[in-house]
Amino acid sequence: MSVIKIDNLTKDYGNHRGIFDLTINIKKGEVYGFLGPNGAGKSTTMRHVMGFSKPDNGSITVNGLDSWTEQVKIKENIGYLAGEISLPNDMTGLQYLRLISKMRKMKSFDYAEELLEYFEIDPNSNIKKMSKGMKQKIAIVATFMHDPEVILLDEPTSGLDPLMQERFIELVRKEQQKGKTIFMSSHIFEEISKVCDRVGIVKNGNLIKELEMSSLRNNEEKTYILRFKNDDDAKRIIELYPEANLNNDETIITINDNDINRFIKDLSTCNLAYLKEKEESLEEYFMKFYEGDVDD
Ligand SMILES: Nc1ncnc2c1ncn2[C@@H]1O[C@H](COP(=O)(O)OP(=O)(O)OP(=O)(O)O)[C@@H](O)[C@H]1O
Ligand SMILES: [Mg+2]
């Protein structure tokens, strides 16, 4: 069963802004990455999951509860890190977290203490005097400290230094091992590739692509970069593989795994200087969707 079920969600803000007919199903225990350019609709979608805004069309349920009509009940078992956090300025980090824990009627503050230590937070400093990253860390603790089953993270590592980003990723992994369902937006491809099971790409309010991360990791097409010691060999291979490209002295060929034996056989008759596999990074893959009008 889907824990987060977004069905044909539409929120039209006019002028082609908003989200349109968006359907996403996130399974229990899944970490779902949400990617897309600025203004694509990621935060809007997450706010609708939280029930902060009424859909124009479609519906969202979290564990079977309707996000709009049963938002109070949903909030008991959800952790939400907003894209633009706003914390009260007139208290310390600890006072704020204690206040939230009281409002949530949390029985124990132990996990909050653990997280404060984990992120090396000085809980007694005034929020007003905190840096952006320090505030972000307080908001992260508030998101996780009640051990919710469902966690929504809107650009969670924005403002964190590389060490803290790494710690955050480690935290997400631990939460995943506990069986948590996580919906996370990000602009950092590496972060998405490290933790997500599945990714959805949204553009202009439409979900344009969904894919399993494992399928990307085990891509059947590989690109090879070759350098031949003599031009005749290069010419011969390019004749055999017309889709090959020449880039300076290097020949670049994309081969399906099914054709690898034929490729090796053809290469065995050549005098090669070197052969290497070009790894298409996740970033390169996703940039195709960000740029231009690529739909698939
Ligand atoms: N309350 C609102 N009223 C009118 N337009 C809105 C409102 N909220 C969002 N929008 C518009 O909806 C679109 C999606 O915005 P959203 O904040 O969801 O994008 P995003 O994918 O989170 O972008 P970013 O990566 O910059 O955080 C934008 O065009 C935005 O201007
Ligand atoms: Mg956003």
Side-chain angles (χ1 to χ4, degrees), residues 31 81 111-112 114-116 118-119 121 136-145 147-148 151 153 156-157 160 163-180 182 184 194-195:
V31 181
L81 181 67
Y111 192 37
E114 200 183 300
L115 289 167
L116 283 167
Y118 181 71
F119 284 110
I121 300 167
Q136 185 73 8
K137 291 199 283 186
I138 294 285
I140 290 171
V141 176
T143 305
F144 287 88
M145 67 179 180
D147 212 17
I151 302 161
L153 304 165
T157 60
L160 297 189
L163 178 71
M164 289 302 151
Q165 283 183 16
E166 206 44 57
R167 277 206 195 162
F168 179 80
I169 293 301
E170 211 35 60
L171 173 67
V172 171
R173 285 204 178 114
K174 279 184 207 149
E175 294 288 323
Q176 183 185 26
Q177 279 158 16
K178 290 192 214 164
K180 306 298 179 71
I182 300 171
M184 168 172 136
K194 278 182 179 164
V195 291

Side-chain angles (χ1 to χ4, degrees), residues 81-296:
L81 181 67
E84 278 135 52
I85 53 163
S86 67
L87 304 178
N89 265 327
D90 54 351
M91 42 179 106
T92 66
L94 189 62
Q95 282 168 340
Y96 169 71
L97 292 171
R98 288 261 181 216
L99 178 71
I100 300 289
S101 74
K102 240 186 208 168
M103 282 161 55
R104 286 183 185 146
K105 300 189 176 69
M106 278 164 53
K107 290 189 186 81
S108 161
F109 199 67
D110 290 354
Y111 192 37
E113 301 269 11
E114 200 183 300
L115 289 167
L116 283 167
E117 208 169 298
Y118 181 71
F119 284 110
E120 299 177 17
I121 300 167
D122 171 10
N124 293 312
S125 58
N126 265 307
I127 291 176
K128 196 177 171 178
K129 292 181 185 161
M130 285 183 183
S131 69
K132 183 177 153 68
M134 286 157 83
K135 284 183 195 166
Q136 185 73 8
K137 291 199 283 186
I138 294 285
I140 290 171
V141 176
T143 305
F144 287 88
M145 67 179 180
H146 54 308
D147 212 17
E149 283 304 314
V150 181
I151 302 161
L152 303 189
L153 304 165
D154 195 353
E155 291 185 45
T157 60
S158 82
L160 297 189
D161 67 42
L163 178 71
M164 289 302 151
Q165 283 183 16
E166 206 44 57
R167 277 206 195 162
F168 179 80
I169 293 301
E170 211 35 60
L171 173 67
V172 171
R173 285 204 178 114
K174 279 184 207 149
E175 294 288 323
Q176 183 185 26
Q177 279 158 16
K178 290 192 214 164
K180 306 298 179 71
T181 305
I182 300 171
F183 186 22
M184 168 172 136
S185 82
S186 176
H187 289 295
I188 305 170
F189 303 101
E190 199 192 338
E191 180 171 291
I192 292 280
S193 77
K194 278 182 179 164
V195 291
C196 294
D197 301 306
R198 207 148 56 96
V199 171
I201 301 165
V202 65
K203 197 171 175 179
N204 301 324
N206 296 294
L207 190 73
I208 57 166
K209 179 92 182 164
E210 246 184 348
L211 75 153
E212 302 270 346
M213 286 303 301
S214 57
S215 72
L216 195 60
R217 292 188 191 110
N218 308 322
N219 196 350
E220 286 174 359
E221 301 236 303
K222 312 240 163 40
T223 299
Y224 299 95
I225 301 170
L226 310 132
R227 184 157 176 192
F228 296 95
K229 282 197 175 153
N230 60 61
D231 290 345
D232 286 348
D233 283 344
K235 271 186 204 143
R236 202 155 47 81
I237 290 294
I238 288 170
E239 267 166 31
L240 286 170
Y241 298 86
E243 65 282 10
N245 282 312
L246 257 179
N247 187 6
N248 295 327
D249 293 337
E250 292 182 327
T251 305
I252 298 157
I253 306 180
T254 301
I255 302 285
N256 190 290
D257 287 349
N258 295 326
D259 296 327
I260 191 70
N261 288 315
R262 174 170 80 96
F263 183 52
I264 289 172
K265 209 169 155 199
D266 291 336
L267 288 182
S268 69
T269 60
C270 302
N271 197 359
L272 274 171
Y274 57 78
L275 157 73
K276 58 188 176 187
E277 186 188 336
K278 180 177 184 282
E279 281 195 38
E280 185 178 51
S281 69
L282 188 70
E283 186 159 350
E284 284 172 300
Y285 181 84
F286 285 118
M287 278 310 282
K288 290 184 206 155
F289 295 98
Y290 278 60
E291 292 162 345
D293 296 320
V294 180
D295 285 334
D296 200 332

